Amino acid sequence: MITNQKIRSVLTAAVLVLSLPAAWSAHASVVIGGTRVVYNANEKEATIKLSNQGNAPALTQAWLDNGDPKAAPSTVEVPFLVTPPVMRIDPKKAQTLRILHTGEPLPQDKESVFWLNVLEIPPKAEASGANTNHLQLAFRSRIKMFYRPANLKGSALDAPGQVAWRLVASGNQFSLEARNPTSYHVSFTALEVKGSDGKVASFDDGGMVNPGETQVFPLKGDVTPSAAPKVHYTALNDHGGAVTGEAAATH
């Protein structure tokens, strides 16, 4: 079992990486075979592949959380099992993670979202001298997992095009208010609004709008709204691929 101290060390390691000189570089050896997982309720399980692209064996721990990235695996309560929770992956080899629903009830009229964590634990460094110092980094990857009930109305592919947009002024700046009337989570990677003066205001930090909820995206740039503003968006599909579209906005 990996302790809370080990999880906290991941955050410390991330800070160390950001503070290292540009000449230094650090890379995770274990790569997740996707940017998201979709668990269809009519299937017994969801699977995703982990590949070790490094030259040494890798030990990984995997777990799901409810949305708190700081929660330790031992404290998280989710209605799923991830198996195997700990595994060794030999260099240039792959292993498959299985995710199984334990049967606890979840909403049946909309998707639920969880987060899959994969922690790669570095091997113990071999000392080459009494005064040798080593910097060991543990890498954690975290991707979304959507639990999708059977017989939901509409489709996930069409959901981005059904989001209702409103351009909201806040002083000289504008925000986009997105209302999601669908049963699916919609993840946007980029948003743009072109003003009547030809200028463009944009949002490129990425964000998600939950089913039946509203999310506000602050725009960068000063634009003069046109009489019928258009929103140009880039969303992600089930496979993590980009889907672009255009929609009318009110203001």
Side-chain angles (χ1 to χ4, degrees), residues 20-249:
L20 289 175
W24 288 59
S25 63
H27 303 279
S29 296
V30 176
V31 177
I32 304 176
T35 60
R36 60 203 47 234
V37 179
V38 178
Y39 192 129
N40 291 298
N42 56 2
E43 298 178 357
K44 294 182 179 180
E45 62 182 36
T47 61
I48 191 162
K49 186 171 70 171
L50 304 182
S51 302
N52 181 1
Q53 298 183 356
N55 296 317
L59 182 65
T60 63
Q61 183 184 22
W63 71 96
L64 288 166
D65 69 62
N66 287 305
D68 181 2
K70 297 181 181 179
S74 59
T75 65
V76 174
E77 295 184 4
V78 293
F80 297 92
L81 292 175
V82 180
T83 183
V86 177
M87 71 169 78
R88 169 191 162 118
I89 309 176
D90 290 328
K92 312 305 180 184
K93 300 293 184 180
Q95 297 278 2
T96 298
L97 278 180
R98 300 170 61 215
I99 303 171
L100 300 96
H101 184 211
T102 56
E104 286 89 340
L106 287 167
Q108 294 301 300
D109 60 342
K110 62 181 179 180
E111 285 184 334
S112 299
V113 65
F114 301 88
W115 278 258
L116 173 65
N117 299 265
V118 176
L119 177 68
E120 179 185 344
I121 307 164
K124 184 177 180 180
E126 295 182 2
S128 56
N131 298 319
T132 301
N133 294 319
H134 297 277
L135 176 61
Q136 290 184 281
L137 303 177
F139 292 90
R140 181 173 67 161
S141 300
R142 193 165 176 264
I143 65 173
K144 296 171 186 173
M145 188 198 81
F146 301 103
Y147 178 80
R148 183 171 296 165
N151 303 317
L152 288 183
K153 294 181 180 179
S155 72
L157 185 62
D158 296 332
Q162 297 180 39
V163 171
W165 299 95
R166 188 165 73 96
L167 193 60
V168 182
S170 178
N172 294 328
Q173 298 298 314
F174 287 88
S175 296
L176 274 174
E177 183 183 273
R179 182 176 61 83
N180 179 7
T182 76
S183 301
Y184 302 88
H185 292 82
V186 181
S187 298
F188 294 103
T189 59
L191 302 169
E192 275 190 2
V193 176
K194 188 174 183 179
S196 58
D197 53 3
K199 295 181 180 179
V200 173
S202 63
F203 176 86
D204 54 11
D205 293 332
M208 183 173 71
V209 190
N210 296 337
E213 297 185 9
T214 299
Q215 182 73 30
V216 176
F217 301 100
L219 297 173
K220 297 176 183 177
D222 184 15
V223 298
T224 301
S226 62
K230 296 284 187 181
V231 177
H232 301 269
Y233 63 81
T234 302
L236 297 177
N237 61 23
D238 282 353
H239 307 289
V243 177
T244 59
E246 182 183 88

